[in-house]
Amino acid sequence: MSFSPIRRRLMSTLLALAAVPAAWAQGPAYPSRPVTVIVPFAAGGSVDAAARLVLQRLGERMKQTFVIENVAGAAGTIGTLRAVRAPADGYTLLFAVASPITVAPLVSPALVKYDALRDLAPVAQVASSPFVLVGSPRLAANGTGPLLALARQQAGKLSYGTDGVGTSMHVTVSLIEQQAGVELMHVPYRSGPQVLTELASGLIDLAVMPVTLAQPFIKDGKVKAYGVTSRQRWASLPEVPALAETPELKNVAVESWYGLFAPAATDAALVDRLSREVSAALAEAELQQRLTDAGLKPAAQGPAQFAATLKAEKQALGAVVSRAGIKTE
């Protein structure tokens, strides 16, 4: 049986195509173009700072640019919703903390248009850090015990600022109020840096801030530091006691996580690849030191472990939110 020259050329072409490596057939290797990472808070805050440290090194490792897009508003839920609705192709990711992931769905169930534990794929937890209770330099109390006594004497009069109703900072202060049996007056702002500026000026009395954001103000003497919310003292602020050292607050143990997410339908192999690259970056001494200097503790968790952390956190926070009656509707 013989074939015409045209048919022979056609068969040769088909055989050549069949021999093309599978990797070529599946398209260019990821990432073949810049990756957008949504940070759902304003530039200059603690989440933005942590994201820039980690994503710079991740980009170097993966030989591609990871571009941060700050989408602030509504306690981080606006940016988070944008990430949830993004194409699940690995080119839009989310770098977030608890506020829009586990807190907002509890305090704003009718307003939050997503279920983060269902609609996002955890890629990696990258770091953790406690909050720190700080006060105006004009505040008379010079220790946590005297501060709690003053709060009881002036029930509902001492003010505290947060980055919004129903955020992690708000919930953490509610936990302190519940543990110590005190009542404070909440003054919500739009961002953490704005709170610190107002606090240093004496316009509000107290705030609970991420360590990474507050420690420059503490070290410069612009605000008073009463205690960190971690169980033990924190490496970057060794002179500041843990709130748990005060008997009334012995059960306070709060550390905020920082993590990377992808839309839920993102291919599992791509999620695993990103997670491995993040873990490898966090194992490097230089990045570890930069995170530590910023008040963060490297804390690599893969997708499964991070998902379990989020589920447990949401259950624990639900009890605090319920007791405090925190609702934004």
Side-chain angles (χ1 to χ4, degrees):
M1 183 175 181
S2 62
F3 295 100
S4 69
I6 294 176
R7 290 193 66 186
R8 282 199 296 270
R9 284 196 296 271
L10 178 59
M11 291 183 67
S12 297
T13 301
L14 291 173
L15 289 171
L17 288 173
V20 172
W24 185 92
Q26 293 170 0
Y30 173 85
S32 62
R33 56 186 169 86
V35 177
T36 296
V37 183
I38 295 173
V39 172
F41 299 96
S46 62
V47 187
D48 181 70
R52 292 181 189 279
L53 286 173
V54 174
L55 296 174
Q56 178 184 346
R57 185 63 191 120
L58 182 62
E60 291 168 352
R61 287 189 57 85
M62 300 188 76
K63 297 179 173 55
Q64 189 54 263
T65 303
F66 282 70
V67 181
I68 290 177
E69 181 181 355
N70 295 97
V71 184
T77 60
I78 294 175
T80 300
L81 181 60
R82 182 178 296 187
V84 165
R85 291 176 172 174
D89 57 5
Y91 288 96
T92 301
L93 305 174
L94 175 74
F95 192 98
V97 289
S99 289
I101 304 299
T102 54
V103 179
L106 293 170
V107 302
S108 307
L111 299 179
V112 176
K113 305 301 182 183
Y114 58 82
D115 179 340
L117 303 193
R118 179 196 65 204
D119 298 331
L120 290 168
V123 174
Q125 180 184 338
V126 302
S128 66
S129 178
F131 297 105
V132 57
L133 178 62
V134 287
S136 163
R138 301 179 185 180
L139 204 56
N142 289 320
T144 305
L147 174 64
L148 296 180
L150 181 63
R152 293 188 184 99
Q153 293 167 11
Q154 301 183 25
K157 294 183 179 179
L158 291 185
S159 60
Y160 72 94
T162 72
D163 57 348
V165 175
T167 62
S168 296
M169 298 178 201
H170 185 192
V171 173
T172 300
V173 176
S174 296
L175 175 62
I176 292 171
E177 290 179 299
Q178 291 169 16
Q179 294 284 328
V182 298
E183 181 184 353
L184 305 171
M185 180 174 63
H186 185 206
V187 182
Y189 289 85
R190 297 188 66 180
S191 71
Q194 184 183 15
V195 174
L196 277 170
T197 299
E198 299 282 273
L199 184 66
S201 300
L203 297 177
I204 53 175
D205 298 310
L206 297 164
V208 163
M209 290 280 107
V211 163
T212 186
L213 191 60
Q215 67 180 13
F217 281 71
I218 295 170
K219 292 181 177 179
D220 289 345
K222 294 180 180 179
V223 298
K224 294 181 178 181
Y226 290 103
V228 293
T229 61
S230 50
R231 177 67 67 185
Q232 306 295 332
R233 297 193 181 204
W234 201 246
S236 64
L237 290 173
E239 72 283 2
V240 177
L243 290 178
E245 295 176 32
T246 301
E248 297 98 317
L249 299 175
K250 64 181 180 180
N251 293 320
V252 172
V254 177
E255 290 186 25
S256 177
W257 53 262
Y258 297 74
L260 188 65
F261 299 83
T266 304
D267 185 82
L270 192 152
V271 170
D272 287 341
R273 163 94 189 282
L274 281 167
S275 183
R276 290 195 304 271
E277 292 288 355
V278 169
S279 181
L282 292 172
E284 298 174 2
E286 182 179 354
L287 181 56
Q288 289 181 359
Q289 189 59 56
R290 293 180 70 185
L291 289 168
T292 300
D293 291 344
L296 299 161
K297 179 173 67 177
Q301 284 189 355
Q305 186 180 6
F306 191 19
T309 295
L310 297 173
K311 183 177 180 180
E313 178 181 74
K314 188 173 182 180
Q315 291 176 342
L317 290 174
V320 177
V321 168
S322 178
R323 287 196 296 268
I326 302 173
K327 293 290 180 185
T328 59
E329 291 88 1

